Amino acid sequence: MFLPLHDANPLGYIRRPYVNWSIIAITAACFVLTGGLDSARVEMAALSLGLIPSVVNDIAELPPSFVLIPEELSFITYAFLHGNLIHLGGNMLFLWIFGDNIEDALGHLRYLAFYLFGAAGSGYIYTLANPASEAPLIGASGAVAAIVGGYLILHPKVKLWVLAFGRIPLRLPAFIVLGAWLVFQIANLAMSTPESSNIGWWAHIGGFALGAALVVPLRRRGVPLFDRDLPR
């Protein structure tokens, strides 16, 4: 519905969002190293490094040739894999626009912990909702959803430039854009079928809730919530 393009939200505590930039660069490098546009290589990487609920829940086992890492580590590695350029580009766009302000509010190290916990926590919620699924979950969407949740708690009034319906440029408050994003996730979850259960709607919603909850205790002392320091 809304494609974010830019937020008018300068940094107040750090000079550069080095961790956010590094996450984007590493994720892009992982896309290239795991096959990029070669769908067969991407599928193999997804089976070896993606999050497979039936495997982590000990319902099924991977063939030995696909076991590259301990299954617990897949709660992190899955977030650095993407199926195609649109999947990668969409997640990295959200991370580029919103992640720097979360890093600014939390600090570098706590932001890294926030991102990784958002990935692991949203993946865990997905495995609880789809315990027997044999389809690998990949993508940074859960971690990015945590960023979105945190941003909405910190900066609901900040104006965003967006493309509405992919073509109409608008400048809207973040609470409208990100609220619409959340409603879209919930609506898709409500309309999902067993055949589409491998789509990570639960990871998106779970990640959003985790991010909204974690940003409150992890933020720097003095960082206000809900843009309370903005002029009315």
Side-chain angles (χ1 to χ4, degrees):
M1 182 181 296
F2 296 120
L3 178 66
L5 301 175
H6 174 69
D7 66 334
N9 197 1
L11 303 178
Y13 298 92
I14 61 175
R15 296 187 62 184
R16 298 287 187 274
Y18 296 115
V19 174
N20 198 53
W21 291 350
S22 298
I23 292 172
I24 293 172
I26 291 170
T27 306
C30 288
F31 177 73
V32 175
L33 293 173
T34 56
L37 302 178
D38 186 335
S39 59
R41 289 181 60 193
V42 170
E43 183 176 352
M44 291 184 64
L47 289 171
S48 299
L49 302 172
L51 179 58
I52 306 176
S54 61
V55 173
V56 298
N57 287 321
D58 296 324
I59 297 172
E61 292 187 7
L62 282 174
S65 60
F66 286 97
V67 179
L68 300 182
I69 59 172
E71 61 187 41
E72 294 80 8
L73 194 56
S74 67
F75 282 99
I76 297 295
T77 56
Y78 88 95
F80 292 90
L81 306 177
H82 289 83
N84 53 56
L85 281 174
I86 294 177
H87 190 199
L88 173 69
N91 279 332
M92 295 305 99
L93 177 63
F94 269 72
L95 191 54
W96 176 266
I97 293 173
F98 302 117
D100 58 341
N101 294 108
I102 303 299
E103 183 174 350
D104 187 47
L106 272 58
H108 301 302
L109 292 180
R110 277 182 288 183
Y111 174 68
L112 178 60
F114 177 92
Y115 185 85
L116 295 178
F117 189 84
S122 60
Y124 180 70
I125 291 170
Y126 176 80
T127 65
L128 292 179
N130 304 277
S133 174
E134 297 183 358
L137 178 69
I138 62 172
S141 301
V144 169
I147 300 292
V148 170
Y151 195 97
L152 189 59
I153 295 299
L154 294 176
H155 303 297
K157 301 176 186 176
V158 165
K159 295 296 182 66
L160 307 176
W161 276 106
V162 301
L163 281 181
F165 306 104
R167 62 184 66 188
I168 305 171
L170 294 174
R171 192 165 182 257
L172 299 171
F175 76 88
I176 293 178
V177 177
L178 302 184
W181 178 92
L182 179 60
V183 170
F184 179 79
Q185 309 307 311
I186 295 172
N188 275 281
L189 175 63
M191 294 185 295
S192 65
T193 64
E195 290 75 20
S196 63
S197 61
N198 62 318
I199 300 175
W201 305 120
W202 272 114
H204 302 172
I205 296 168
F208 179 93
L210 286 173
L214 286 175
V215 78
V216 176
L218 290 180
R219 75 192 195 280
R220 299 173 188 269
R221 180 178 299 178
V223 171
L225 302 177
F226 307 112
D227 283 325
R228 288 174 181 161
D229 58 346
L230 287 183
R232 292 183 182 272

